[in-house]
């Protein structure tokens, strides 16, 4: 860092740590993407870091290394409670204590029983410890999928779809390309590149022949490709794009969402991209944790809805969700929903 940056609040420092964590999201599996910032006693940023790929360094250790002697008496700001265990790397709490950091601020506690206890250990060593800073932003943001996995043992599933304002994902003749804008597609490809797996049903492979790769705006492949997962009983042709060499592909011969979840148990962040039958099955099974809808300002009409049977016979039994955020992607709306 050439110019020492000053942050005028701990919230601002935590926002910087969140920014760091987003840089590595999708690359740390099975570890959480954590961000860390070290402030010197004057409140200047003297080191930043984010978790390396599994087996590599944790965020705090990298940030401390960059800070060197300037960390003494300073503040470490971390998105996750620093770990307290010898895993693939030594405990981060040891590194913080050895660097003579005065205060540690973190957003969310580490739910991993093996690694937790860092806060207590730091306090016992005489450091000031504060938790909960921007905890909601971190828990709903960069650590959302990892925390879900820790809590449930299952991967976090985001159902993504693109539709017209009247909820159609294709026109009556089945044509579906370019419902969403270029800005929406760029946003989607960015999300694909940080997911662990992208899943579709065999019907979607047969109808649309998607490549299910993460691509950059110029059409080239992103550096990192998620696992492609095809679910269903129907045969897919050997020349389907989803079977090309651009990424790995897993075919799961079942219709049962719970069986699919078991097959993906070692994943954290799964993007379900349709079609309407598979999305319906997952919704009926309660296996969707987040909905991301790209909604385009157009009307299409006809029978091709984004999802078909969700198991709701009457309005009193509607599946009720709540809006979690609304953004614009070009001319479209990007709506995020979480279970109520
Ligand atoms: C931190 N900072 O940047 C991360 C933490 O196998 P290991 O040694 O890499 O430890 C993995 C566990 O450490 C992981 O399950 C989680 O509890 C914690 N991750 N902790 O202090 C970090 N990535
Ligand atoms: Zn650690």
């Amino acid at each position: 860092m050439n110019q020492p940056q000053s942050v005028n609040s701990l919230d601002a420092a935590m926002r910087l740590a969140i920014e760091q964590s987003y840089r590595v999201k999708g690359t740390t599996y099975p570890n959480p993407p954590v961000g860390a910032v070290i402030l010197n006693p004057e409140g200047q940023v003297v080191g930043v870091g984010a978790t390396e790929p599994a087996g590599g360094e944790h965020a705090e250790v990298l940030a401390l290394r960059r800070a060197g002697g300037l960390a003494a008496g300073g503040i470490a700001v971390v998105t996750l409670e620093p770990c307290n265990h010898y895993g693939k790397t030594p405990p981060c709490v040891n590194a913080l204590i050895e660097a003579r950091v005065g205060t540690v601020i973190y957003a969310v506690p580490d739910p991993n029983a093996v690694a937790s206890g860092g806060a207590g250990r730091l306090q016992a060593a005489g450091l000031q410890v504060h938790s909960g800073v921007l905890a909601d932003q971190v828990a709903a943001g960069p650590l959302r999928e990892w925390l879900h996995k820790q809590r449930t043992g299952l991967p976090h599933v985001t159902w993504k779809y693109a539709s017209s304002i009247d909820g159609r994902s294709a026109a009556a003749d089945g044509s579906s390309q370019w419902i969403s804008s270029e800005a929406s597609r760029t946003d989607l490809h960015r999300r694909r590149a940080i997911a662990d797996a992208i899943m579709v049903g065999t019907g979607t492979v047969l109808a649309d022949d998607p490549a299910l790769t993460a691509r950059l705006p110029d059409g080239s492949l992103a550096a990192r490709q998620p696992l492609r997962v095809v679910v269903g009983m129907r045969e897919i042709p050997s020349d389907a794009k989803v079977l090309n060499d651009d990424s790995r592909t897993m075919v799961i011969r079942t219709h049962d969402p719970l069986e699919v979840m078991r097959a993906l148990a070692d994943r954290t962040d799964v993007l379900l991209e349709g079609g309407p039958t598979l999305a319906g099955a997952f919704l009926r099974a309660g296996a969707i944790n987040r909905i991301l809808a790209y909604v385009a300002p157009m009307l299409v009409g006809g029978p091709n809805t984004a999802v078909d049977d969700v198991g709701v016979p009457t309005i009193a039994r509607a599946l009720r969700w709540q809006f979690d955020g609304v953004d614009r992607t070009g001319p479209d709306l990007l709506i995020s929903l979480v279970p109520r």
Side-chain angles (χ1 to χ4, degrees):
M1 207 165 296
N2 305 330
Q3 281 293 313
Q5 185 183 351
S6 275
V7 287
N8 49 23
S9 71
L10 290 175
D11 279 13
M14 187 63 81
R15 276 193 290 274
L16 206 55
I18 291 174
E19 207 178 289
Q20 289 296 314
S21 74
Y22 269 119
R23 290 185 180 200
V24 298
K25 194 155 192 286
T27 67
T28 61
Y29 165 85
N31 278 352
V34 175
V37 170
I38 309 294
L39 306 177
N40 67 11
E42 288 73 48
Q44 290 168 321
V45 177
V46 290
V48 297
T51 312
E52 287 186 335
E57 303 286 13
H58 287 184
E60 302 89 316
V61 170
L62 289 173
L64 286 170
R65 191 170 298 155
R66 285 168 193 148
L70 302 176
I75 304 179
V77 181
V78 196
T79 56
L80 181 69
E81 178 185 9
C83 74
N84 185 34
H85 80 307
Y86 286 88
K88 295 184 200 90
T89 67
C92 288
V93 290
N94 290 6
L96 290 161
I97 294 165
E98 278 155 28
R100 303 193 6 257
V101 165
T103 303
V104 174
I105 313 279
Y106 64 88
V108 298
D110 191 336
N112 178 2
V114 183
S116 67
R121 175 75 211 294
L122 291 167
Q123 273 165 336
L127 282 78
Q128 298 280 329
V129 180
H130 303 285
S131 65
V133 175
L134 299 192
D136 292 348
Q137 277 98 314
V138 170
L143 289 182
R144 177 182 175 88
E145 292 82 9
W146 185 80
L147 289 171
H148 173 90
K149 177 77 177 283
Q150 293 293 315
R151 211 165 39 234
T152 64
L154 293 170
H156 178 283
V157 181
T158 299
W159 170 40
K160 163 265 153 186
Y161 69 91
S163 78
S164 56
I165 191 73
D166 58 340
R168 305 310 202 276
S169 279
D173 67 354
S175 56
S176 64
Q177 266 194 319
W178 320 137
I179 281 192
S180 57
S181 65
E182 193 176 325
S184 292
R185 292 195 301 276
T186 301
D187 186 80
L188 169 65
H189 281 277
R190 202 177 44 75
R191 289 176 193 273
R192 279 183 173 181
I194 60 175
D196 291 323
I198 310 179
M199 174 165 60
V200 294
T202 47
T204 295
V205 172
L206 294 170
D208 300 342
D209 193 23
L212 294 186
T213 49
R215 294 184 297 278
L216 304 174
D218 69 4
S220 63
L221 291 174
R224 189 178 165 279
Q225 294 296 326
L227 175 71
R228 301 179 288 194
V229 180
V230 179
V231 175
M233 307 300 280
R234 289 200 269 168
E235 277 304 319
I236 55 175
S238 58
D239 62 351
K241 284 196 196 120
V242 76
L243 298 178
N244 70 17
D245 293 332
D246 290 346
S247 179
R248 289 169 312 127
T249 303
M250 178 194 278
V251 179
I252 307 178
R253 297 268 174 225
T254 178
H255 278 142
D256 178 359
L258 298 180
E259 242 178 87
V260 174
M261 300 290 272
R262 273 196 292 275
L264 296 177
D266 66 340
R267 303 278 149 178
T268 305
D269 184 1
V270 175
L271 208 51
L272 191 169
E273 292 206 20
T277 313
L278 186 63
F282 269 73
L283 285 163
R284 289 198 301 279
I288 305 280
N289 308 111
R290 184 184 189 189
I291 300 175
L292 273 182
Y294 295 90
V295 180
M298 67 166 86
L299 291 123
V300 169
N304 291 319
T305 51
V307 62
D308 41 52
D309 182 14
V310 293
V312 174
T314 183
I315 199 70
R317 306 238 315 258
L319 308 183
R320 294 194 181 269
W321 289 61
Q322 61 189 7
F323 293 125
D324 169 52
V326 181
D327 283 305
R328 299 291 295 256
T329 45
D332 304 334
L333 289 183
L334 172 56
I335 305 174
S336 170
L337 299 97
V338 292
R340 201 160 77 176

